[in-house]
Amino acid sequence: MKKHVIPVLAIAALALAGCSQSGNDDSSSKSSSGSSAPQTYDAPSDATTPENNKPWSTDEGGYAEANGGKMKVNFHADPTPSMQQAIDSTGGALTTSVIAVEVDNTNGSNEIDGYDLQVVGEDGSTTEVKSANDWAVDKGNKIDDGELQGNDDAFTTVYDEAQDSTARPGAKNTQYFLVDKPLPEKVRNVTFEGTSLSFTAQVVPTSKKNDYASIQSDYPGA
C-alpha cells in the first residue's frame, strides 16, 4: 500500500515548530508522520512540577479544546472492527494501543482534525501516537517491503476509513490514534496536534475540564 498520506506536511511542520521534538514508536516508519526515534526527557519532580502537571492516570481519560470544539480522550479505546482485522492479520506481531478522541464541534468555528498525539509518561518518556491514517500507511509499506507479515488489504481498509476523519463545524465524530506498544499508566503531558489551521491542543485530566482555560499555562506546550 504505497500511499503517502496527508499533503499537510508543511502545515504539520508549522504546528510542531514551537514544540519539543517527540519520539516515534518505530524508527523505520515510512509514514508521513516522520521517522525519528523515541526520545526520553528528564521529568521534573513533583516538588517543582506545577500542580496541574503532576502525573495523572490514563484510566481517567482526558479533555481538550480546539477551534471552539471540545474533545474527550479515551486512552484505552477498543480498535474498530477493521483495525482489529488488520492487527489480527499480522499473527500477533503487533501489540497495538488505541486512543479514541471524541470530537464535539457543534459550536466550533473551524475544522478539527488531528495527525498525532504526543504522550509524555510519568518517567518523562515521549511517545508519538499516530493517526489511524498514518498508522495504516506505515504498516502497509512494511508489508510491501517484507518487513511485516500481514494482510495489506486489511490495512488499506483502515486507511480508507480514516480519510474522512475531519470534524467540520457543527459536526461530531471520533478520531483514532494508534501506537504499537503499551501506553504509560500515568502521564504528565499530552498534546493533540492538529492539521486544520495547524493548531495544538493541550489535553488535561477529565476532572479538570471545567478549569481548562485557566490551567493551560501550567502545561508545557500549551
Side-chain angles (χ1 to χ4, degrees):
M1 182 176 65
K2 292 291 184 182
K3 294 189 175 86
H4 295 281
V5 238
I6 314 186
V8 294
L9 286 176
I11 298 176
L14 290 174
L16 293 173
C19 302
S20 299
Q21 173 144 2
S22 59
N24 191 313
D25 62 300
D26 188 342
S27 61
S28 63
S29 167
K30 298 188 297 182
S31 78
S32 58
S33 288
S35 56
S36 57
Q39 298 186 21
T40 300
Y41 304 90
D42 292 333
S45 68
D46 285 346
T48 59
T49 301
E51 177 67 25
N52 291 319
N53 197 35
K54 288 185 177 179
W56 46 284
S57 172
T58 52
D59 290 339
E60 180 180 348
Y63 175 83
E65 296 178 6
N67 295 338
K70 299 177 180 180
M71 294 175 282
K72 177 182 178 181
V73 182
N74 178 0
F75 292 99
H76 303 292
D78 293 326
T80 66
S82 61
M83 291 174 190
Q84 190 63 62
Q85 183 176 359
I87 293 167
D88 290 344
S89 77
T90 67
L94 299 180
T95 302
T96 305
S97 300
V98 181
I99 295 177
V101 179
E102 298 178 21
V103 181
D104 182 352
N105 205 21
T106 305
N107 298 316
S109 56
N110 293 287
E111 296 179 347
I112 296 177
D113 190 15
Y115 68 87
D116 69 19
L117 284 162
Q118 306 290 335
V119 179
V120 179
E122 183 177 16
D123 64 353
S125 61
T126 302
T127 301
E128 177 184 335
V129 188
K130 299 178 181 179
S131 67
N133 188 330
D134 280 4
W135 176 82
V137 169
D138 179 48
K139 300 303 172 287
N141 286 349
K142 283 181 168 55
I143 291 173
D144 290 346
D145 294 341
E147 300 174 19
L148 177 68
Q149 298 298 313
N151 185 335
D152 189 27
D153 289 341
F155 287 96
T156 299
T157 297
V158 176
Y159 171 89
D160 290 341
E161 290 179 353
Q163 291 311 293
D164 191 23
S165 62
T166 301
R168 295 171 178 80
K172 298 179 181 181
N173 75 357
T174 300
Q175 300 175 20
Y176 292 92
F177 301 82
L178 300 91
V179 64
D180 297 306
K181 63 180 181 181
L183 290 168
E185 294 182 2
K186 291 186 177 181
V187 294
R188 286 183 180 271
N189 185 36
V190 181
T191 52
F192 177 87
E193 305 291 353
T195 57
S196 302
L197 301 184
S198 304
F199 67 84
T200 299
Q202 197 68 35
V203 179
V204 302
T206 301
S207 60
K208 296 182 181 294
K209 70 177 183 178
N210 291 334
D211 302 316
Y212 185 83
S214 64
I215 64 178
Q216 287 306 286
S217 61
D218 290 332
Y219 280 83

